[in-house]
Amino acid sequence: MVHDPSPDDMGAWFSREITPRVPHDALHLIGMNPVTGTVSFGFWHRYEREFARAEMLNCYLGDDPFRPTELARRPVPVAMLRADAGEDGADGGLRAREILKEHGMGCELRLALRDAHGVWGTLCLFREEGCPVFQPEEADRLRQLTPTLTAALRGYVRAGPWLPAGPPPPPGVILIGGDHTVRAVTAEARAWLRALPSEWLSSPEWAAAMLASEVAASPPEAPGPQPMICVPAAHAGRWVALQGQPLSGAGEVAVVVQAASGDVLLPIFAAWYGLTPRERGVVALLRTGRAPKQIAHRLGLSPYTVNDHLKSIFRKTRTSGRDELIAVLGG
């Protein structure tokens, strides 16, 4: 893998790794929030902007039969789509097939990157019209690459502590109507979106489609946080959160765009960096200003055990110590 890779570099690297096993003409790798399952960032290779936009909007507002969260729940998290037929000839996904045809693609192969610790992303491969369609044996070969691809995806996110340069800008808001269209975008929200490297992720329309549809699908009485995109620092310079909140009346949704920090960031950060539940608990107490002896007393551990946990935390997160770790997590 290249040093300090850009999204384009990562897309090209994934394509080179996969091509000997499964030849393809274009690639899109979607990185997901391992806590909420929402799409959070992506890499691409020979994947045109308008094609990407059409696919992503259809995924959340259209009839796409293989949304990332649904694909990840399959016993075998792989799917194939042909432009001239549904999966195995079945009816369904008409708009998804039309999009493939409109952009000169004959078929698509998708794989959810899932392991015992979570779902980390969705890989989409495409072949142009006139090329042989993807076959089940190719899907099997792609599945065998899951550990390698997942390790590379997590390695990209964990490449460094990614200390932010200066205080974050103020939060911004995107107002979305009940018809999933953007009604208003504050200047602060536009500034946040412009800082994201992905053209499809930086589009208010895409954020509207994804988060509004996820909020609409969530039961009103559902406990816990609302659906959230969390873009890692490796992709955006600092951890960025886009969180959808339902407003009163007619299905309107407000998307708040701001620096991800504190209680919002900690579970996501811990998942990407592979912190154990005990290590996550130590970090949570560390953020409150407690000294190692106080943490030990609170958790019923010896100070030596807490220090061992801290060494493991600093090693996994590539931080130099307490101050740097707290700064990465937003204080």
Side-chain angles (χ1 to χ4, degrees):
M1 194 183 304
V2 296
H3 181 64
D4 294 333
S6 68
D8 286 340
D9 292 332
M10 287 297 297
W13 183 89
F14 278 104
S15 185
R16 286 194 301 270
E17 289 294 305
I18 294 167
T19 293
R21 299 279 192 97
V22 185
H24 54 276
D25 296 305
L27 170 149
H28 184 205
L29 176 57
I30 302 165
M32 298 171 69
N33 180 334
V35 174
T36 66
T38 48
V39 173
S40 289
F41 62 102
F43 311 121
W44 48 91
H45 186 61
R46 298 175 181 168
Y47 188 54
E48 296 179 358
R49 176 183 177 183
E50 288 306 313
F51 182 24
R53 183 177 183 276
E55 278 241 318
M56 293 305 294
L57 288 177
N58 183 58
C59 184
Y60 288 98
L61 297 184
D63 70 342
D64 193 312
F66 311 122
R67 289 177 57 174
T69 50
E70 295 166 359
L71 181 63
R73 287 195 290 265
R74 288 186 167 200
V76 179
V78 66
M80 292 180 286
L81 184 70
R82 292 174 55 174
D84 58 358
E87 187 184 39
D88 298 327
D91 187 24
L94 176 61
R95 180 55 186 152
R97 300 199 304 273
E98 289 176 346
I99 290 171
L100 289 177
K101 291 180 181 179
E102 288 169 3
H103 295 275
M105 296 296 170
C107 57
E108 179 179 358
L109 171 60
R110 294 188 194 177
L111 169 70
L113 298 179
R114 183 183 72 193
D115 61 18
H117 303 288
V119 180
W120 308 99
T122 300
L123 175 66
C124 308
L125 301 182
F126 305 91
R127 282 184 182 157
E128 295 177 353
E129 286 182 305
C131 295
V133 298
F134 292 111
Q135 298 297 317
E137 56 268 26
E138 292 180 303
D140 289 339
R141 289 201 295 269
L142 188 63
R143 286 178 58 209
Q144 293 170 11
L145 290 173
T146 296
T148 299
L149 302 178
T150 299
L153 186 62
R154 297 185 72 184
Y156 170 81
V157 173
R158 300 185 299 191
W162 303 102
L163 277 170
V173 178
I174 304 170
L175 179 63
I176 304 165
D179 58 357
H180 291 181
T181 61
V182 175
R183 299 288 178 82
V185 184
T186 66
E188 292 82 1
R190 290 194 183 279
W192 276 107
L193 295 176
R194 282 196 300 268
L196 301 178
S198 166
E199 292 189 29
W200 56 263
L201 183 58
S202 62
S203 162
E205 291 75 18
W206 181 84
M210 203 286 280
L211 285 172
S213 65
E214 291 287 341
V215 169
S218 300
E221 68 278 5
Q226 292 297 324
M228 180 178 64
I229 298 168
C230 191
V231 185
H235 205 74
R238 69 167 77 238
W239 289 84
V240 181
L242 293 83
Q243 190 163 11
Q245 296 284 355
L247 300 176
S248 58
E252 292 185 332
V253 173
V255 174
V256 180
V257 191
Q258 60 189 329
S261 61
D263 294 337
V264 168
L265 177 56
L266 180 55
I268 301 164
F269 183 86
W272 277 112
Y273 281 86
L275 302 186
T276 66
R278 179 63 80 189
E279 289 170 344
R280 176 178 161 181
V282 169
V283 174
L285 292 173
L286 200 68
R287 288 186 54 248
T288 66
R290 288 180 170 86
K293 286 185 178 179
Q294 294 171 313
I295 295 173
H297 179 73
R298 179 69 178 269
L299 297 178
L301 302 173
S302 74
Y304 300 103
T305 300
V306 170
N307 283 327
D308 286 341
H309 284 314
L310 289 172
K311 290 176 184 177
S312 176
I313 292 164
F314 299 147
R315 174 180 54 80
K316 289 179 178 180
T317 60
R318 300 189 181 186
T319 49
S320 59
R322 172 186 184 141
D323 291 344
E324 185 176 0
L325 178 61
I326 291 175
V328 170
L329 290 171

